[in-house]
Amino acid sequence: MELSWATLSRATSAIAPSLLPFPHPLFPPDNGMRVSITGATGFIGRRLVQKLLSDNHKVCVLTRSRAKAQLVFPVNNFPEIVIAEEAEWKQCIHSSNAVVNLAGLPISTRWSPEIKKEIKHSRINTTSKVVDLINNGSTDLRPSVLVSATAIGYYGTSETTVFDEKSPSGNDYLSEVCRDWEAKALEVDNGVRLVLIRIGVVLGKDGGALAKMIPLFMMFAGGPLGSGRQWFSWIHLDDLVNLIYEALRNPSYKGVINGTAPHPVKLSEMCEQLGRVVGRPSWLPVPEFALKAVLGEGASVVLEGQRVLPLKAQKLGFSYKYPYVKDALRAIMRES
């Protein structure tokens, strides 16, 4: 058994509340947070783990495969991380004062009927397991906050409608996935603060949308994808991680929060800005057939869009490092 944090203080579920390895309820500044994370090995999760560790918080990676997780977080480089397989999730969650749920098969892939089922089931099943483990713990062992990912696909697509957190859900496949995903998270005990972050298109190095878009972009001389008229509601990876981090720490963050930048753009503008950054002309559109050849039905994520505004985050005073797409793209290319 490789659990640590002193073997989660000798099986938290069996000890008295007064002996828990951290004071409840919320994150005293001298102790830091203990955060259990699903999806920690993914594009967003890796950066979140780095952020938490850099600020001296403790992390438990909830995974189905310790071996795969250790490829991302080698023990020699990350000795402070606890890696827990499913049988050990309960111990980790009951030893944490916060849980972040990011698990789910990436949607920027070629969809088949089997993949569509997995996209949905990977999100709902993991969320259900996390919520059940939280709810089945005694009040003293429950984390204080659950930050659970969802997506702006909740709203459906439109070239004209402006969506915010109060907008109704759409009626396509991704809308259905997001509704069911959120409904499962909403089953968490009402004593646990729940934050649902509807994530937009995440821009960052070595993953997310740009990893799929740039090769096509370069092959077709940097033109827009499809018509270019579709809206592109994006967020820089660092801003999303900071938003999740703030949601963990700040009790004012609760309910649905759109995880998007305040200035969405038409995809044609995004491609024009990307062309300038990578030094390619932006004139020859990437045809729909090329995207569909790569992504199949999943091309709808790029070919159809929605204009989503993060009104809640702005009202809460969240500060964006990259509010404009040109600055986000420049920063990403500087990392390369």
Side-chain angles (χ1 to χ4, degrees):
M1 183 171 178
E2 299 184 34
L3 290 179
S4 190
W5 299 350
T7 312
L8 297 175
S9 288
R10 307 302 171 211
T12 301
S13 58
I15 61 179
S18 61
L19 299 178
L20 286 175
F22 54 86
H24 260 288
L26 257 190
F27 322 139
D30 55 334
N31 283 58
M33 294 184 283
R34 299 191 177 209
V35 186
S36 288
I37 305 174
T38 70
T41 60
F43 176 51
I44 299 166
R46 293 193 304 269
R47 188 69 67 94
L48 177 62
V49 168
Q50 292 167 3
K51 168 75 173 173
L52 289 166
L53 294 179
S54 70
D55 285 356
N56 298 314
H57 302 295
K58 296 186 183 299
V59 171
C60 180
V61 171
L62 305 178
T63 182
R64 288 189 170 87
S65 171
R66 176 175 282 109
K68 289 182 180 178
Q70 287 177 338
L71 292 175
V72 178
F73 302 112
V75 175
N76 290 341
N77 296 340
F78 297 93
E80 65 274 67
I81 288 181
V82 173
I83 295 178
E85 292 187 312
E86 282 193 81
E88 302 158 332
W89 285 20
K90 177 180 177 180
Q91 287 175 269
C92 267
I93 287 175
H94 291 175
S95 298
S96 299
N97 43 18
V99 177
V100 179
N101 178 36
L102 298 173
L105 186 75
I107 63 170
S108 56
T109 186
R110 186 175 180 83
W111 293 357
S112 64
E114 294 76 20
I115 290 293
K116 288 175 73 173
K117 285 182 184 176
E118 183 60 21
I119 285 172
K120 186 173 183 178
H121 292 163
S122 63
R123 287 160 170 77
I124 292 169
N125 293 350
T126 302
T127 303
S128 179
K129 182 176 180 66
V130 167
V131 167
D132 287 347
L133 288 172
I134 292 172
N135 290 350
N136 291 337
S138 67
T139 303
D140 292 321
L141 295 177
R142 286 179 192 150
S144 298
V145 56
L146 168 62
V147 178
S148 197
T150 170
I152 61 172
Y154 174 92
Y155 302 113
T157 62
S158 175
E159 288 187 7
T160 57
T161 305
V162 180
F163 301 101
D164 62 35
E165 287 87 352
K166 294 181 180 179
S167 299
S169 184
N171 55 14
D172 58 12
Y173 163 71
L174 287 179
S175 302
E176 177 189 327
V177 170
C178 292
R179 283 195 304 272
D180 292 351
W181 194 7
E182 292 184 15
K184 190 55 64 176
L186 285 164
E187 293 178 8
V188 76
D189 184 89
N190 60 15
V192 176
R193 180 169 58 88
L194 174 64
V195 186
L196 292 166
I197 299 186
R198 290 182 184 150
I199 299 172
V201 182
V202 184
L203 302 181
K205 182 175 177 280
D206 298 331
L210 282 184
K212 293 288 177 85
M213 290 171 64
I214 287 178
L216 283 173
F217 187 92
M218 301 297 280
M219 186 188 310
F220 286 90
L225 307 178
S227 71
R229 294 190 300 270
Q230 63 272 48
W231 281 98
F232 190 77
S233 294
W234 60 278
I235 187 168
H236 190 286
L237 177 60
D238 286 350
D239 278 329
L240 178 59
V241 166
N242 288 339
L243 182 67
I244 294 170
Y245 187 73
E246 193 63 22
L248 289 171
R249 300 170 66 231
N250 189 334
S252 297
Y253 284 62
K254 57 185 69 173
V256 173
I257 298 175
N258 286 334
T260 60
H263 300 289
V265 294
K266 291 290 185 80
L267 195 55
S268 56
E269 180 184 343
M270 192 280 187
C271 289
E272 181 181 347
Q273 295 292 346
L274 184 56
R276 290 177 180 173
V277 169
V278 300
R280 294 295 297 263
S282 182
W283 59 274
L284 180 63
V286 178
E288 289 192 17
F289 77 80
L291 281 172
K292 288 180 177 176
V294 174
L295 298 177
E297 192 182 349
S300 64
V301 176
V302 175
L303 293 172
E304 303 168 19
Q306 59 275 100
R307 186 183 183 186
V308 178
L309 300 180
L311 298 189
K312 189 92 167 277
Q314 291 179 300
K315 184 177 180 180
L316 287 164
F318 179 74
S319 177
Y320 287 87
K321 188 176 180 181
Y322 302 106
Y324 295 97
V325 73
K326 64 179 180 181
D327 298 323
L329 292 173
R330 285 173 183 160
I332 291 164
M333 298 313 293
R334 281 198 299 268
E335 290 182 52
S336 301

